[in-house]
Amino acid sequence: MSVNAAIKAKTPGDIGAMKGAAPIVCLTAYTTPVARLVDVEADLVLVGDSVGMVLHGMDSTLGVTMEMMILHGQAVARGTTRACLVIDMPFGSYEESPEQAFRNAARLMRETGAVAVKLEGGVTMAETIRFLTARSIPVMAHVGLTPQAINTLGGYKVQGRGADRARVLADARAVAEAGAFSVVLEKVPAGLAAEITASLAIPTVGIGAGVECDGQVLVVDDMLGLFDAFKPKFVKRYASLATDARAAIAAYAAEVRERRFPAPEHIFSDE
Ligand code: KIV
């Protein structure tokens, strides 16, 4: 038996059971080394389709493919032993029909080892969530700002203000009733997130949704200050890795330009 096999990873059921007991710590990861760091603290590691923007320089998540998710999912699985491993379903892989969603969710789980999938959408996705959960696929839902719908939402704006409040509330209720084990609330007003959290039996995981959610998720490169092309207002930076990396690269470049090559002398000796 390997060392890893002795460690029991958290399940979607364990995450569900944390509601009302302890705040749920969630972070994204896209690579093995970062997954190893995150796995020490996180209850849930998400292989987010934000990988397209964060690691591949895309303008949105719409260009992310199944193959990209599988490759990054496999990398993250190699670095995850404790946390519940959840993988995003990319745009176009689940919206057509429950059957399409099942086929692609099963492939993502089979080929990566993730124990659950996340998909975006509320009322319109409820039937699909019911279909998947009835067929042994745990689903984390995602309502409020759903970045894959950027072209119909018209921007990365707060959702659920004013008359739109009822829509987001109905979305959250629909995914919970359909069997999701948890729901991400992205960019919804704090009061609405609190109301949803109080009214659902499943945990809410907020991102830009105030402090009353049952847990919090952040894009790891955002909170580490590694992805600093732009900073969403709700992101707190806990480190400045891009700034540190720029300084380190500049120091290296300066040494090389001065022929102070960073290697022990004997490596270059002819003896
Ligand atoms: O893709 C992602 O990283 C996400 C989180 C921000 C919730 O969906």
Side-chain angles (χ1 to χ4, degrees), residues 28 30 46 48-50 88 118 142 184 186 207 217 219:
T28 64
Y30 317 112
L46 172 68
D49 63 350
S50 49
D88 259 342
K118 178 166 81 59
H142 184 156
V184 170
E186 180 162 355
I207 173 161
V217 61
V219 169

Side-chain angles (χ1 to χ4, degrees), residues 18-59:
M18 289 179 77
K19 184 163 180 107
I24 304 166
V25 179
C26 308
L27 280 168
T28 64
Y30 317 112
T31 63
T32 307
V34 171
R36 286 197 179 117
L37 297 174
V38 166
D39 188 54
V40 175
E41 297 289 345
D43 300 303
L44 187 151
V45 172
L46 172 68
V47 188
D49 63 350
S50 49
V51 67
M53 300 172 79
V54 176
L55 287 199
H56 294 271
M58 295 175 169
D59 286 340

Side-chain angles (χ1 to χ4, degrees), residues 42-269:
D43 300 303
L44 187 151
V45 172
L46 172 68
V47 188
D49 63 350
S50 49
V51 67
M53 300 172 79
V54 176
L55 287 199
H56 294 271
M58 295 175 169
D59 286 340
S60 75
T61 55
L62 298 185
V64 175
T65 63
M66 283 287 290
E67 286 65 32
M68 287 167 71
M69 293 309 300
I70 287 168
L71 200 62
H72 287 285
Q74 290 169 341
V76 172
R78 284 181 209 114
T80 307
T81 55
R82 294 178 54 261
C84 179
L85 181 57
V86 180
I87 188 161
D88 259 342
M89 300 200 72
F91 179 63
S93 72
Y94 59 95
E95 301 89 334
E96 197 178 322
S97 65
E99 289 79 5
Q100 181 212 23
F102 180 82
R103 214 168 28 252
N104 285 320
R107 182 174 169 211
L108 285 171
M109 290 171 66
R110 189 172 56 239
E111 295 190 26
T112 66
V115 296
V117 297
K118 178 166 81 59
L119 57 81
E120 297 182 7
V123 171
T124 51
M125 280 300 134
E127 185 197 346
T128 294
I129 294 172
R130 196 167 287 113
F131 190 89
L132 295 182
T133 53
R135 288 162 180 77
S136 311
I137 298 197
V139 177
M140 185 175 205
H142 184 156
V143 305
L145 173 64
T146 47
Q148 293 175 8
I150 192 67
N151 289 318
T152 44
L153 292 177
Y156 295 98
K157 297 182 282 208
V158 175
Q159 302 292 309
R161 281 204 175 120
D164 194 33
R165 188 181 175 93
R167 176 185 66 89
V168 176
L169 197 52
D171 279 343
R173 289 195 174 136
V175 298
E177 277 163 20
F181 73 88
S182 175
V183 57
V184 170
L185 303 181
E186 180 162 355
K187 269 198 165 184
V188 303
L192 175 56
E195 184 182 342
I196 292 171
T197 301
S199 69
L200 298 189
I202 61 169
T204 58
V205 175
I207 173 161
V211 298
E212 298 291 330
C213 294
D214 295 303
Q216 165 86 12
V217 61
L218 283 181
V219 169
V220 70
D221 294 57
D222 283 343
M223 56 83 72
L224 292 177
L226 195 52
F227 180 72
D228 63 358
F230 65 87
K231 177 177 157 319
K233 267 198 246 157
F234 56 79
V235 170
K236 176 175 172 189
R237 289 229 169 104
Y238 292 80
S240 307
L241 297 194
T243 306
D244 292 349
R246 273 186 215 105
I249 291 163
Y252 165 79
E255 288 191 3
V256 171
R257 287 185 189 114
E258 291 167 10
R259 293 209 159 275
R260 289 195 287 133
F261 292 170
E265 277 305 314
H266 71 267
I267 290 183
F268 302 111
S269 96

